[in-house]
Amino acid sequence: MFIKNNISVAIVIIVSLVLLSCGTEQHEKDEAVTRANQMLSRMTLEEKIGQMSQLDPGFFGGEEQLKQAVRDGRCGSLLNYWGVEKVNEIQRIAVSESRLGIPLIIGRDVIHGYRTIFPIPLGMAASWNPEIVKEAFRISSVEASSQGIKWTFAPMLDITWDPRWGRIAEGCGEDPLLASAMARAMVEGIQGDDLTDPTALAACAKHYVGYGFAEAGRDYNTTYISEPMLRDVVLKPFKAASDAGALTFMSAFNDLNGVPASGNEFTLKQILRDEWGFRGLVVSDWASVTEMVFHGYAADDKDAAAKAINAGVDMEMASSSYFDNIKRLLEEKKITEAQVDGAVRNILTVKYRLGLFDNPYVNPEAEKKILDPAFLDHARKVARQSTVLLKNDGNALPLSENIGSVAVIGPLADAPRDQLGTWCFDGQGENSVTPLRAIRELLGEKRVNHVAGLKYSRDKSLEQFNAALAAARRSDAILFFGGEEWILSGEGQSRGEIDIPGAQGALIEALSATGKPLVVVIMAGRPLAIGNELQDADALLYAWHGGTMAGPALTDLIFGKESPSGKLPVTFVKGAGQIPFYHYRKNTGRPANEKAWTPFDSIPTENPQGSLGYKSFHLDYGYTPLLPFGYGLSYTTFDYSDLNLSSQVMGTSGSITVRAKVTNSGTMDAEEVVQLYIRDRVGSITRPVKELKGFRRISIKKGETVEVEFVINSTDLAFFNGKATLTEPGEFDVWMGPNSDEGLHSDFIIE
Ligand code: GLC
């Protein structure tokens, strides 16, 4: 017995030592956590509460009151407070005049650039090029950090199918795989390779979660999302951001299945913390904690604070329910000291990881990098690759630089602020190079006949039409720049209709009637219902809001320095009545097809009930979108051939390799985004008709052929069926092609 006991004791000691060493090792490895715990042990409750709010600088009543609050340890974070001198002064007070010297962390929305503005994120997603997007966010951090900003509320990763929603501009479109690739790139760009580098910012994956599914596309509206859709689509880019090491998440405004996202333990704790192991900090969105009172989920601000803290929101942005109520909530045992300590630990750990304790100050020299020519060149490149060619009849594009003259018309031809798009806090219109300016610089003033035709995108006045038409008639080609003013998309800027506003449609139609070659360029913050404009134009480029260098980028494309290569990151619908329409839709029990649908104008005037067939279509819109997800043309042509699979059978834990050849059969070197889609034909729950499972942007010289290869692992085909995430045996379709509607087809089975 004794020996046995001794052995057991010995085993216990050895096991404990091993566990301790792993734990210590882990602990030592995570020096930031160790330092955070040491600081935490010295803090008073007031100082802890001070860390858990991110307040607007005005909250304390003025600059002196703000500085006193920092001295007292009542303010640990600020948003929208920037500038070298201001930040260095407030940080000096924090670290040398407060009891514990805890530095502030200052946040700001640097969503698609700071002063060098890149295309809106939806536009950047249209590049399908994570590399150049990563560099764009790196540049944004270099510029923003030079002003004392160490935390940006980006990337915005809300999947959405709804172009009525103004914030579609700010996200990466409808697809979870594309949005996940962009999420990784954006987080890596924002945070850089070394978090303690002065140019590193903390990224913030937002808005966690489901905000993009606002009913009717009306901002802040209710969302109902099934768990399969949540896990297989909506959460994917957030998981990618967490895996990429995003230091922070932001909880969203929306009511998610009856529980507001800022008080939702299922998403904030079970998924984010327990399933994903996220160890960063969660900040609420602007007053999203106290808005739980409006939601009818909290009785008052104190109750809202308790619900948010219990759900796992570490820091409250803008509202002060934490600031005002944590002490009482502890006394009433509605929250625990451990929860407060946990939140403060997460906040301090982020500050340690960013090196703020070691160097909270801004180097005044850093701001010399702002608007660096190399940054502007990159913005031009990103704007080029984000632009999507949607039509090019008769190779109307590219134009020759030797063209006699061009008419430059439209409300966005020379709109320096509009081309920057929404969520552009610091970008200045004065730095924009507009299409008009870039075309004049290329061709010379004499060869450019400019008449705006409309003063702004919503302008309904026809008074300039005659002058515009006259300019068109005396030119060799017409370049129309229209779309939406920047204010028509973004937060709180949703639209019920998604047509091109004002009298632009009428002007485009009139220009088309002149018979001159008509190139239409749309600059907008959302997919618009541009069916008529597509018909009227000989060529159409979709440029989103392309940022500071939108003008030169578009000129590069229009005059053929480079071929357009963007692809749609979201389905384009024929009208708002067709929403939602997305490529991973379900088949329904009555799928429509060519034979099943009678075009609206062909419906006979006399016919019996049901004569049009009982299938899933709209009488007027039919059953196909205006343009499919992944669509985009080129100045050259790409031919796909020789699709082959390494095997037609995949084991449930195996993989297959899919290969095809892509030939540039045209006359211009260009880049193509090759896309891989699958369909799981039968599942334990219904499965989408298409799912994107891979993409690759490749450069192919004219006349060349490239072989493209994708490996599909069985895990890539897993889905959540309401009970578990699993890969099921069965038959699968696979396509490789230029968009979600076209491609070479084959099939395989999983045994
Ligand atoms: C806004 C937005 C959020 C932004 C925050 C700070 O309401 O919802 O995206 O980061 O407030 O400006």
Side-chain angles (χ1 to χ4, degrees):
M1 272 305 279
F2 176 72
I3 292 172
K4 203 165 147 212
N5 275 347
N6 255 348
I7 290 171
S8 329
V9 168
I11 289 170
V12 168
I13 291 169
I14 291 166
V15 169
S16 318
L17 284 172
V18 167
L19 285 177
L20 194 65
S21 69
C22 296
T24 317
E25 212 176 275
Q26 182 57 35
H27 225 60
E28 265 150 21
K29 242 194 290 184
D30 209 335
E31 184 203 346
V33 175
T34 306
R35 292 176 73 181
N37 281 324
Q38 286 162 351
M39 178 59 75
L40 189 61
S41 64
R42 300 164 55 201
M43 295 172 76
T44 64
L45 176 60
E46 285 67 28
E47 288 162 338
K48 292 175 184 175
I49 293 171
Q51 291 296 313
M52 291 175 69
S53 297
Q54 179 182 61
L55 297 164
D56 194 76
F59 173 80
F60 296 97
E63 196 64 15
E64 283 319 306
Q65 293 91 324
L66 168 61
K67 289 176 178 174
Q68 192 51 49
V70 171
R71 279 187 200 95
D72 301 344
R74 288 180 291 119
C75 171
S77 177
L78 287 169
L79 74 165
N80 301 331
Y81 191 92
W82 72 99
V84 178
E85 290 73 28
K86 271 178 71 172
V87 169
N88 282 345
E89 173 57 10
I90 200 83
Q91 289 288 30
R92 187 194 60 72
I93 292 171
V95 299
S96 59
E97 295 184 19
S98 74
R99 190 176 76 86
L100 293 170
I102 299 172
L104 303 178
I105 182 167
I106 293 173
R108 189 163 173 78
D109 295 284
V110 184
I111 307 300
H112 54 108
Y114 181 73
R115 287 293 305 281
T116 301
I117 301 300
F118 295 92
I120 54 172
L122 186 62
M124 284 197 259
S127 74
W128 294 56
N129 189 339
E131 257 177 50
I132 62 169
V133 172
K134 177 177 174 179
E135 180 57 20
F137 278 81
R138 186 83 293 273
I139 288 168
S140 306
S141 287
V142 169
E143 291 191 341
S145 58
S146 80
Q147 300 303 298
I149 297 160
K150 287 299 283 178
W151 184 11
T152 176
F153 305 122
M156 189 274 219
L157 301 173
D158 301 312
I159 296 274
T160 188
W161 308 320
D162 200 328
R164 294 170 296 184
W165 190 47
R167 302 195 78 166
I168 191 171
E170 201 181 336
C172 302
E174 74 186 39
D175 185 80
L177 187 113
L178 177 60
S180 298
M182 289 294 153
R184 271 189 296 279
M186 293 171 174
V187 168
E188 290 170 0
I190 291 166
Q191 298 189 164
D193 300 330
D194 171 5
L195 287 172
T196 61
D197 184 296
T199 66
L201 266 61
C204 184
K206 75 180 185 183
H207 305 81
Y208 188 72
V209 72
Y211 183 26
F213 283 67
E215 287 182 338
R218 197 172 80 241
D219 207 358
Y220 315 116
N221 203 1
T222 307
T223 63
Y224 281 100
I225 307 172
S226 71
E227 192 172 350
M229 183 56 72
L230 201 57
R231 288 184 176 278
D232 290 344
V233 174
V234 182
L235 285 166
K236 291 279 187 182
F238 288 96
K239 176 70 166 54
S242 175
D243 291 347
L247 287 181
T248 76
F249 267 53
M250 180 187 291
S251 66
F253 292 123
N254 54 293
D255 172 343
L256 173 60
N257 301 334
V259 180
S262 292
N264 196 307
E265 286 197 37
F266 172 62
T267 53
L268 287 167
K269 265 198 185 145
Q270 182 184 323
I271 293 180
L272 183 61
R273 300 284 184 187
D274 300 345
E275 291 181 17
W276 296 355
F278 176 71
R279 291 285 170 269
L281 83 81
V282 174
V283 65
S284 76
D285 200 341
W286 187 284
S288 65
V289 171
T290 47
E291 285 177 10
M292 288 196 278
V293 176
F294 293 109
H295 278 295
Y297 187 68
D300 53 29
D301 285 1
K302 181 159 73 84
D303 185 30
K307 287 187 160 77
I309 290 168
N310 283 308
V313 176
D314 300 313
M315 185 188 282
E316 179 183 16
M317 178 194 286
S319 48
S320 61
S321 68
Y322 283 21
F323 195 82
D324 301 335
N325 297 292
I326 283 181
K327 206 160 179 325
R328 255 185 309 160
L329 287 170
L330 285 168
E331 287 156 4
E332 294 168 6
K333 302 199 182 324
K334 299 274 178 55
I335 61 171
T336 66
E337 188 85 45
Q339 285 172 322
V340 170
D341 287 353
V344 176
R345 183 182 299 113
N346 292 337
I347 295 163
L348 293 176
T349 302
V350 167
K351 292 185 175 182
Y352 277 113
R353 289 201 201 292
L354 283 172
L356 281 168
F357 279 88
D358 303 321
N359 175 20
Y361 301 113
V362 190
N363 173 358
E365 293 298 302
E367 64 183 2
K368 290 177 180 155
K369 289 295 282 179
I370 288 179
L371 292 170
D372 184 287
F375 295 177
L376 295 170
D377 283 346
H378 191 67
R380 180 171 182 167
K381 176 178 181 180
V382 177
R384 274 198 308 267
Q385 292 200 17
S386 300
T387 300
V388 188
L389 179 62
L390 298 179
K391 181 180 181 183
N392 193 22
D393 280 6
N395 293 323
L397 282 177
L399 299 182
S400 159
E401 280 187 39
N402 301 321
I403 191 167
S405 65
V406 293
V408 174
I409 294 169
L412 276 92
D414 196 31
R417 174 60 191 88
D418 285 321
Q419 73 184 48
L420 299 181
T422 186
W423 280 109
C424 169
F425 275 6
D426 303 286
Q428 312 285 329
E430 68 197 34
N431 303 122
S432 296
V433 184
T434 65
L436 176 63
R437 183 178 142 194
I439 294 165
R440 280 178 166 158
E441 284 172 1
L442 181 71
L443 300 183
E445 301 243 350
K446 291 196 175 48
R447 292 198 284 158
V448 178
N449 302 314
H450 170 57
V451 176
L454 293 161
K455 293 192 182 74
Y456 56 99
S457 74
R458 286 165 294 132
D459 188 357
K460 293 184 175 144
S461 155
L462 311 184
E463 63 189 22
Q464 282 192 46
F465 271 37
N466 289 337
L469 292 169
R473 290 192 189 98
R474 63 174 184 273
S475 304
D476 296 304
I478 307 164
L479 301 176
F480 178 90
F481 295 89
E484 286 182 324
E485 297 140 84
W486 76 267
I487 194 69
L488 301 181
S489 61
E491 182 174 356
Q493 283 140 203
S494 299
R495 291 179 61 196
E497 291 303 335
I498 54 169
D499 54 339
I500 191 164
Q504 295 181 75
L507 180 51
I508 289 168
E509 191 177 356
L511 291 167
S512 171
T514 66
K516 296 280 184 176
L518 172 59
V519 176
V520 170
V521 179
I522 302 289
M523 301 164 94
R526 58 164 55 82
L528 293 173
I530 52 169
N532 294 334
E533 291 71 32
L534 265 173
Q535 234 163 9
D536 293 337
D538 296 299
L540 193 144
L541 288 164
Y542 216 84
W544 318 100
H545 285 127
T548 305
M549 297 299 279
L554 287 166
T555 306
D556 292 343
L557 298 176
I558 289 167
F559 291 93
K561 284 206 175 52
E562 183 174 301
S563 166
S565 54
K567 299 276 186 175
L568 297 181
V570 59
T571 301
F572 273 48
V573 293
K574 292 167 181 165
Q578 215 177 15
I579 295 166
F581 204 115
Y582 47 99
H583 67 284
Y584 46 91
R585 61 190 176 278
K586 300 300 185 70
N587 201 33
T588 78
R590 296 198 172 188
N593 57 35
E594 272 305 324
K595 290 196 289 299
W597 175 60
T598 305
F600 193 72
D601 295 335
S602 318
I603 296 172
T605 51
E606 298 295 324
N607 46 65
Q609 162 87 15
S611 59
L612 298 179
Y614 294 115
K615 295 293 180 188
S616 184
F617 53 66
H618 288 108
L619 291 178
D620 40 9
Y621 286 145
Y623 61 95
T624 58
L626 181 68
L627 295 164
F629 172 80
Y631 184 83
L633 302 175
S634 171
Y635 290 157
T636 192
T637 47
F638 292 108
D639 300 335
Y640 287 71
S641 62
D642 303 310
L643 178 69
N644 69 82
L645 277 56
S646 57
S647 164
Q648 306 297 134
V649 181
M650 182 199 291
T652 43
S653 58
S655 65
I656 55 169
T657 302
V658 185
R659 292 184 184 86
K661 289 186 177 131
V662 185
T663 300
N664 178 341
S665 51
T667 57
M668 186 173 183
D669 298 351
E671 297 198 356
E672 167 73 327
V673 178
V674 179
Q675 299 157 48
L676 183 82
Y677 295 88
I678 64 103
R679 177 180 185 177
D680 181 353
R681 292 179 184 165
V682 178
S684 53
I685 60 170
T686 55
R687 312 289 299 118
V689 296
K690 280 273 169 76
E691 291 178 271
L692 179 70
K693 288 299 175 186
F695 65 90
R696 193 149 310 133
R697 173 183 269 264
I698 51 172
S699 178
I700 310 180
K701 293 192 180 316
K702 60 182 183 235
E704 262 194 11
T705 294
V706 170
E707 182 169 82
V708 181
E709 171 181 306
F710 292 97
V711 176
I712 303 178
N713 298 303
S714 60
T715 49
D716 298 329
L717 304 173
F719 65 98
F720 182 76
N721 70 354
K723 301 184 191 71
T725 295
L726 73 173
T727 299
E728 294 179 342
E731 297 178 350
F732 290 78
D733 294 291
V734 57
W735 295 267
M736 196 189 298
N739 61 63
S740 60
D741 244 9
E742 301 166 68
L744 300 176
H745 172 262
S746 184
D747 51 35
F748 62 92
I749 63 167
I750 292 185
E751 281 184 321

